[in-house]
Amino acid sequence: MLVRKLIDSPMAVVCLVDVETQHLAGHVGMPSPFAESRRMPLSHSFSRHVVLSGEMLVVPDTRADPRTRDNPAIAELGAIAYAGAPITDPDGLVVGALCAVDVEPRAWTPSEITFLGEMAAVCSSEACLRITRAAEEEARRTAEEARRTAEEAHRTAEEARHTAESAHHQLELLADLTEALAATMDVEEGMRRLGRIVTERLADWCVVALEDGPLITAVHRDPEQAGTMERFTALAVRSRPDIRAVMAAARRTGRIARDVAPELIDAELRAIAEEAGLAEALIAPVLSPVQRRVLGAVILVNGPTRTRFSSAEVRTVAEIGRRAGMAVENSRLYREQRHVSEVLQRSLLTELPVLPGVELHARYLPAQNGAAVGGDWYDAFEQPDGSVMVAVGDVSGHDIEAAATMGQLRNLVRGDAYGRDDEPGALLTELDQALHGLRVPAAATAVLARVRRAHSGYSVSFANAGHPPPLLLLPDGRVQVWWVPPEPLLGLPPHDPRTTTVRYVPPGSTLLLYTDGLVEDREQLLDDGVARLSEALRAAATRPGDEVCERLLRVAPRRSDDIALLLVRLT
């Protein structure tokens, strides 16, 4: 899942290869029947080339590479681009590959290749732990059988059992830690989860210190020490010399430092640490798998009443530092990707014009899950004849592709409508023809309206292409829902001309256009969502336009879809 999320490949697979079969130990995006059977013949395997060569294999187009062009997976799975990094066992033998597969030709970037290699190293570590656990379990069974013949064999079996249980618990700890870190992209929350998990099973208390900020998190296994840990964290942030000393200890070799009880310069900080229990400490570097540098340190501390860290626990702590580094790096990449997406989305949305007699307010919110971009949009512009065109639309999807299609669709609407006095129905009919003729891959709903001054107020003519109905707040506080007979979505093959509906509204009215993310709920009817929105619009009638928009956004039942709304006040 991490490979598919951060490399953005349709398929990501952990493959283990034997002499006859490729086993899919973990996969995302693999189609049937291989997804269910979790195996495939070697004839379909690209990863066997990684196992044979012992090196990473990067193929931008499998159809053009002599090693892969005859592989049946190209036709059956649509595997066009492949990148695979070797997975090794404890003896250094290549036993499989972590691979990313795309359904289109792809030039894999150096950062993607580096990331895939680092992830493969984590998979190798996981495989080695499991192989070690299996070997230790076998040793335990052997020792248990030998116990029946001699007391010495009994003691050997007991030791093997203890070692196997310890390996099992540590493997369980690492699995739980990986799951907890993968479930959040917030670094501070991730480090708190790390502290809670390791203090439950490995140490009396734990401190995670990251250079970025700096960010310091402290957790104690005893809930009564929570206040002590809060005071420790607050003081540690201010005590820069002590933080620098810890970072230097982690950075010195890039490896775990054992038998360390840090000499804290700050007297108050030292007193708090001694109160929490300070007899033995391990300092593990938090390593970036991409930048190959130390990002911080994980410090595990035991008091005088607890046994010393075992060699197995020391190895586990080193692995905890590596996984913490991966979580920090994933969070950084996620923040960068989300920032780029938000900038892209805002660049595609219109800056509303300032018009006499027409007050415009708009909002856009991306879905809470996804790339922070989507296909919802709004637009407003003045025509040469003084009328105002307003529109809200929704291209299916909330990803980069939907945002790009939305930009094309919005520009087509603008270019087709500007300078023309045609009614909205005729403009959307021509838009259908343009989308079909230009082969724009759009499936979208939209409302397009023209607002003109009339002798007693305003006339609003609009056309609706499968979109939720506009709402009109009248000066007396009543709300009209402008239901019209449904018409097909934009982007479908052209058919009958679209219709235009004309309504006359008095000055002081407010027109609301919005997308379905504001009203749709899988557990309720659309009518219920529209009724909730109408009531919220009525309740906010006297508020400023920006405040009305914020109140309307609270009506959304959940943020599983994008939301766009356009508020048009006719004064």
Side-chain angles (χ1 to χ4, degrees), residues 169-192:
H169 293 321
Q170 289 155 33
L171 183 62
E172 226 176 29
L173 182 152
L174 292 173
D176 291 346
L177 177 63
T178 300
E179 183 179 353
L181 294 178
T184 178
M185 286 297 173
D186 182 85
V187 174
E188 188 170 358
E189 173 60 23
M191 296 307 102
R192 278 197 295 267

Side-chain angles (χ1 to χ4, degrees), residues 142-451:
T142 302
E144 285 291 328
E145 185 157 345
R147 183 182 59 83
R148 291 192 294 267
T149 60
E151 183 64 26
E152 182 63 29
H154 170 70
R155 286 195 299 269
T156 302
E158 284 298 307
E159 290 174 2
R161 183 182 62 80
H162 176 75
T163 302
E165 288 178 352
S166 174
H168 170 75
H169 293 321
Q170 289 155 33
L171 183 62
E172 226 176 29
L173 182 152
L174 292 173
D176 291 346
L177 177 63
T178 300
E179 183 179 353
L181 294 178
T184 178
M185 286 297 173
D186 182 85
V187 174
E188 188 170 358
E189 173 60 23
M191 296 307 102
R192 278 197 295 267
R193 294 182 181 187
L194 182 152
R196 286 194 293 267
I197 290 174
V198 299
T199 53
E200 287 174 358
R201 313 182 196 184
L202 275 183
D204 286 337
W205 53 293
C206 169
V207 178
V208 183
L210 302 178
E211 288 184 330
D212 187 11
L215 172 66
I216 299 177
T217 303
V219 180
H220 201 289
R221 70 186 307 162
D222 183 358
E224 295 184 359
Q225 294 279 5
T228 304
M229 293 294 98
E230 289 179 5
R231 288 189 290 125
F232 184 91
T233 299
L235 285 171
V237 171
R238 297 197 299 267
S239 180
R240 295 300 178 89
D242 286 318
I243 294 299
R244 284 197 292 269
V246 170
M247 297 298 179
R251 197 183 297 109
R252 193 170 297 122
T253 63
R255 298 178 181 177
I256 194 165
R258 186 174 185 180
D259 297 323
V260 175
E263 288 294 332
L264 300 174
I265 299 172
D266 188 293
E268 189 177 358
L269 194 65
R270 183 169 61 251
I272 294 174
E274 290 173 352
E275 178 186 343
L278 181 60
E280 181 191 14
L282 295 177
I283 301 179
V286 176
L287 295 171
S288 165
V290 176
Q291 301 175 353
R292 306 299 298 169
R293 68 182 184 89
V294 176
L295 304 174
V298 177
I299 309 165
L300 270 67
V301 186
N302 276 337
T305 60
R306 193 178 177 94
T307 58
R308 291 172 55 82
F309 292 107
S310 68
S311 298
E313 288 172 335
V314 171
R315 291 193 296 271
T316 300
V317 173
E319 183 62 28
I320 288 171
R322 285 192 287 270
R323 299 195 184 198
M326 182 174 297
V328 173
E329 199 64 31
N330 288 343
S331 177
R332 180 185 66 81
L333 293 172
Y334 174 77
R335 291 196 305 271
E336 290 178 358
Q337 179 195 42
R338 193 169 183 89
H339 175 69
V340 170
S341 298
E342 289 174 352
V343 171
L344 169 64
Q345 182 71 49
R346 299 193 187 285
S347 71
L348 292 173
L349 295 173
T350 302
E351 183 176 348
L352 296 176
V354 178
L355 303 172
V358 178
E359 183 183 329
L360 298 170
H361 301 272
R363 291 291 186 275
Y364 171 80
L365 287 179
Q368 287 181 328
N369 300 319
V373 295
D376 289 18
W377 56 279
Y378 59 81
D379 199 2
F381 56 92
E382 186 177 18
Q383 293 280 29
D385 63 2
S387 64
V388 180
M389 302 298 299
V390 292
V392 164
D394 182 1
V395 176
S396 61
H398 37 85
D399 51 21
I400 295 293
E401 289 77 9
T405 303
M406 175 269 284
Q408 290 180 284
L409 182 60
R410 190 203 65 170
N411 289 336
L412 281 172
V413 171
R414 281 196 150 209
D416 184 49
Y418 185 77
R420 299 173 57 179
D421 58 2
D422 300 77
E423 293 297 342
L427 293 174
L428 289 188
T429 300
E430 293 189 5
L431 180 62
D432 278 326
Q433 295 171 351
L435 292 172
H436 187 67
L438 296 175
R439 300 185 183 277
V440 178
T445 67
V447 170
L448 179 64
R450 183 190 294 270
V451 180

Side-chain angles (χ1 to χ4, degrees), residues 98-145:
L98 172 64
C99 57
V101 181
D102 208 328
V103 296
E104 296 177 353
R106 178 169 178 170
W108 303 96
T109 66
S111 62
E112 290 171 342
I113 293 171
T114 299
F115 177 74
L116 197 63
E118 295 297 336
M119 290 294 290
V122 174
C123 291
S124 299
S125 174
E126 193 77 16
C128 290
L129 283 172
R130 291 172 184 250
I131 291 170
T132 300
R133 177 188 170 193
E136 291 170 341
E137 183 66 20
E138 181 63 27
R140 188 189 67 81
R141 286 196 297 267
T142 302
E144 285 291 328
E145 185 157 345

